Amino acid sequence: RKPWEDAVRELVWQPLGLEDIGFTFADRPEMPFARGYLGENEQPPISQSIGRLNGDDWALRGNGGIQASAETMIAFLNGLLDQNGGFDPKARALMLAPLPGQSGDVREGNGLVFRYDDKGRLVRMGHAGSDGVFFSYLGWLAANDVRLYFVGNNGEAVIKPLLQEVLKRALALPPAG
């Protein structure tokens, strides 16, 4: 048995070459994380909030209370999408498929949501998350192979409409190839 973060680091992040990613950074408190804002009030990084819970943070770890740079998140997505990207093949297969027994244009998977068009073709795959201050979306638009990580630091209500506009414009790009 090992702590969740150690297992994820060993089994996912290290094989992909990801270093500055994690839940807490007690050993590196000087990490240059973005600050969040609600109105005029600065908010602390999520790692500080998790750290103050003194280990009673299982729900935040399980739902993605991870901090990483945009570059690291794109490297994660590339590692997942590219067959030779370093992601364990069995884990990759689980991540890149919706859970069985679902139909319709939106299907859930193991950490990702899949959206299909009316002909059953994959339109986009991704995951969004928010702590009320930061809002992020990691996504892949299948037809034109657009890979994006979108994040804002001033509240979900402000950022979500901007993401919707970015997705609308990205989906209008010509197909890849």
Side-chain angles (χ1 to χ4, degrees), residues 62-81:
N63 76 5
I66 297 171
Q67 286 191 149
S69 68
E71 180 180 82
T72 296
M73 293 304 294
I74 289 295
F76 171 81
L77 184 60
N78 288 339
L80 178 61
L81 291 173

Side-chain angles (χ1 to χ4, degrees), residues 1-13:
R1 253 180 90 147
K2 60 178 69 178
W4 173 249
E5 184 169 1
D6 293 345
V8 173
R9 185 170 308 287
E10 179 184 312
L11 297 171
V12 179
W13 300 333

Side-chain angles (χ1 to χ4, degrees), residues 5 8-9 12-34 46-47 65-76 149:
E5 184 169 1
V8 173
R9 185 170 308 287
V12 179
W13 300 333
Q14 285 176 342
L16 295 176
L18 308 179
E19 294 178 10
D20 290 330
I21 184 171
F23 297 96
T24 59
F25 295 88
D27 59 332
R28 297 181 291 167
E30 75 287 347
M31 292 295 290
F33 292 118
I46 189 69
S47 61
I66 297 171
Q67 286 191 149
S69 68
E71 180 180 82
T72 296
M73 293 304 294
I74 289 295
F76 171 81
Y149 181 62

Side-chain angles (χ1 to χ4, degrees), residues 102-177:
Q102 300 178 72
S103 61
D105 63 340
V106 178
R107 301 176 202 162
E108 294 183 12
N110 293 293
L112 296 168
V113 173
F114 302 84
R115 296 187 182 268
Y116 296 86
D117 66 14
D118 57 357
K119 293 183 172 115
R121 294 177 297 211
L122 181 64
V123 174
R124 67 180 162 111
M125 170 194 85
H127 181 83
S130 176
D131 66 358
V133 178
F134 287 92
F135 177 82
S136 65
Y137 177 78
L138 180 67
W140 176 58
L141 309 181
N144 47 21
D145 195 27
V146 171
R147 300 168 188 202
L148 65 105
Y149 181 62
F150 185 92
V151 64
N153 68 340
N154 57 338
E156 182 175 345
V158 173
I159 298 305
K160 202 170 184 178
L162 298 174
L163 170 62
Q164 291 168 334
E165 183 62 27
V166 166
L167 286 173
K168 179 179 161 186
R169 290 176 185 228
L171 286 165
L173 292 171

